[in-house]
Amino acid sequence: MGYVIMWHMLDYAQAGRSHCRKNIPCQDKTVSCCMNGVHLLGLADGAGSAKFSHFGAETALQATCDYIANNFERIFNETDGVQVKKNILTRILEALRQKAEQLNCSIKDLASTLLFVAIKNNRFLLFHIGDGVIGYWKNDSLKVASKPETGEFSNTTVFTTSSKALLYMKLFKGNIENIHGFVLISDGAAESFYQKRTGQLAPVIVRIMRKVCLVEHGEMLQLLKDSFQLVVNNTQDDCSIAIIAQYNEELERFLSMNFWQQMRYFNMNNKRRAKKKYSLWMKIIKYLNEPKTVQQTAQCVYLKKKYLRKQLFLMAKMQLVKKMNNKFHLR
């Protein structure tokens, strides 16, 4: 029984406490959309010293979305990485100059960082200018693709309008393979989600990615807002995060079935046996939001390991769960 991998996206930005007190608009901006078959995820952190950086952040994101959506194939196949960076930065600066004319301000007043992910079929592109973090979830491991860029001096960063933006701009491309998702984190949110000392992302991000795949978008967005209110926004800085993650359509279909559909799914004619198996598998799925060994899962669902192992391998055969490094988890 096959399944189709799809992408779920979620993004959110919240003004920091100092900005709320001073009635300053949130300078972090995020975007998630799909254009021309390209999934686009972006985050821009407006410079605190730039008067109209919130407009600059929005403009940089929109310009990047439009350019990549219309040129993904050409960008991905281009072997000259420097030329790719030049083309993207040129498009961003053109859009910022137009915005500066509209606002009658200097282009420096529109300064922001830029973090971006674009996915088409089984290929991805990553771009990064400035601070913030880009991470990815691969083979049940959370890794950092791009760390914050401080530029020439510590405690400073690089912006889209910086004279050396091209020099510090980072570009990555590759195949999705076993990558389950990407996350973009602003400098403010990084205080909660990224450990500068170790260079590691907080494990909670994987749990958020899993929920993004299985929880309805509006409900998940509210959960993220509540989390930012309680935990993330202890910082004075604006906080933002953007996530794109895969989900297993077969698993979602299984979870949405009624009882009689479940019977056909299990190919069972015995109603009692089908109901028993349904209850058991739902219990197992509940505890596999995080990878667990057979022993750990057996303790959670109160089953003998031998019987549980048989169920897990059957569920894996139906592509509801998978095994990696001696642990089972939801696909």
Side-chain angles (χ1 to χ4, degrees):
M1 186 178 296
Y3 68 97
V4 178
I5 291 178
M6 299 180 68
W7 293 102
H8 273 192
M9 297 185 284
L10 186 71
D11 61 286
Y12 179 63
Q14 179 175 291
R17 290 183 176 180
S18 63
H19 284 187
C20 291
R21 286 198 304 268
K22 299 175 183 177
N23 199 29
I24 298 174
C26 181
Q27 294 170 321
D28 278 15
K29 300 298 176 181
T30 57
V31 66
S32 61
C33 61
C34 185
M35 299 168 58
N36 297 338
V38 183
H39 287 84
L40 305 156
L41 190 76
L43 185 154
D45 182 353
S49 58
K51 184 178 180 181
F52 297 117
S53 65
H54 51 299
F55 290 123
E58 286 181 338
T59 302
L61 286 175
Q62 188 59 57
T64 307
C65 280
D66 292 342
Y67 181 76
I68 296 178
N70 292 315
N71 298 278
F72 185 94
E73 297 294 341
R74 186 164 65 86
I75 294 171
F76 192 90
N77 294 325
E78 175 60 65
T79 57
D80 187 344
V82 174
Q83 188 59 52
V84 171
K85 294 179 185 180
K86 285 181 179 179
N87 292 342
I88 295 172
L89 190 57
T90 296
R91 180 64 191 92
I92 293 171
L93 292 176
E94 287 176 354
L96 290 176
R97 290 190 186 98
Q98 293 177 10
K99 194 66 177 181
E101 289 181 6
Q102 294 176 10
L103 297 174
N104 192 26
C105 68
S106 165
I107 193 173
K108 295 292 184 182
D109 292 328
L110 302 173
S112 76
T113 64
L114 177 66
L115 298 84
F116 209 89
V117 176
I119 300 173
K120 185 175 183 180
N121 299 326
N122 65 335
R123 297 163 297 166
F124 70 85
L125 296 166
L126 303 184
F127 306 97
H128 191 181
I129 300 175
D131 57 25
V133 182
I134 300 180
Y136 63 103
W137 176 26
K138 181 176 182 180
N139 291 333
D140 302 316
S141 179
L142 192 60
K143 301 179 180 180
V144 174
S146 183
K147 297 181 180 180
E149 181 58 70
T150 58
E152 296 182 77
F153 308 101
S154 60
N155 298 322
T156 64
T157 192
V158 182
F159 300 112
T160 51
T161 57
S162 299
S163 60
K164 294 187 177 181
L166 181 63
L167 177 63
Y168 289 105
M169 181 179 182
K170 288 177 278 189
L171 163 68
F172 308 91
K173 64 179 179 179
N175 294 320
I176 293 298
E177 294 181 351
N178 293 319
I179 294 177
H180 311 300
F182 294 92
V183 60
L184 312 179
I185 305 170
S186 70
D187 187 46
E191 292 189 20
S192 298
F193 293 127
Y194 177 69
Q195 297 179 355
K196 291 183 180 180
R197 183 178 60 82
T198 62
Q200 293 182 332
L201 290 163
V204 68
I205 290 175
V206 171
R207 293 198 292 273
I208 296 174
M209 284 184 171
R210 289 186 183 281
K211 288 183 178 179
V212 168
C213 295
L214 296 173
V215 178
E216 188 273 328
H217 183 272
E219 181 182 349
M220 187 61 211
L221 182 59
Q222 187 58 53
L223 289 172
L224 192 59
K225 289 180 180 180
D226 294 342
S227 175
F228 269 53
Q229 288 285 349
L230 294 174
V231 181
V232 177
N233 204 26
N234 289 324
T235 175
Q236 299 297 314
D237 197 5
D238 295 343
C239 298
S240 57
I241 189 170
I243 289 173
I244 182 168
Q246 296 177 341
Y247 84 102
N248 182 350
E249 191 175 73
E250 186 63 27
L251 174 61
E252 184 166 87
R253 190 172 74 87
F254 171 81
L255 295 175
S256 66
M257 288 179 179
N258 61 36
F259 176 71
W260 296 108
Q261 291 170 329
Q262 283 286 342
M263 284 189 67
R264 290 193 292 271
Y265 185 89
F266 293 129
N267 195 27
M268 286 186 176
N269 296 319
N270 187 304
K271 180 177 179 180
R272 180 175 296 179
R273 287 184 62 195
K275 187 173 182 179
K276 182 179 179 181
K277 178 160 286 191
Y278 171 81
S279 299
L280 173 59
W281 283 25
M282 290 298 290
K283 184 183 292 186
I284 293 173
I285 286 172
K286 175 183 177 181
Y287 285 104
L288 291 183
N289 277 323
E290 296 181 9
K292 287 184 174 65
T293 63
V294 174
Q295 175 67 33
Q296 291 169 331
T297 310
Q299 292 174 348
C300 293
V301 298
Y302 305 104
L303 287 177
K304 292 182 178 180
K305 288 195 296 182
K306 183 177 180 180
Y307 180 68
L308 175 61
R309 186 178 288 109
K310 179 180 178 181
Q311 298 302 315
L312 287 170
F313 277 105
L314 181 57
M315 293 172 74
K317 185 177 180 180
M318 290 186 167
Q319 302 197 47
L320 297 176
V321 302
K322 70 176 180 179
K323 184 181 180 182
M324 184 71 68
N325 298 327
N326 293 320
K327 289 186 177 182
F328 287 86
H329 60 91
L330 301 182
R331 278 188 169 270

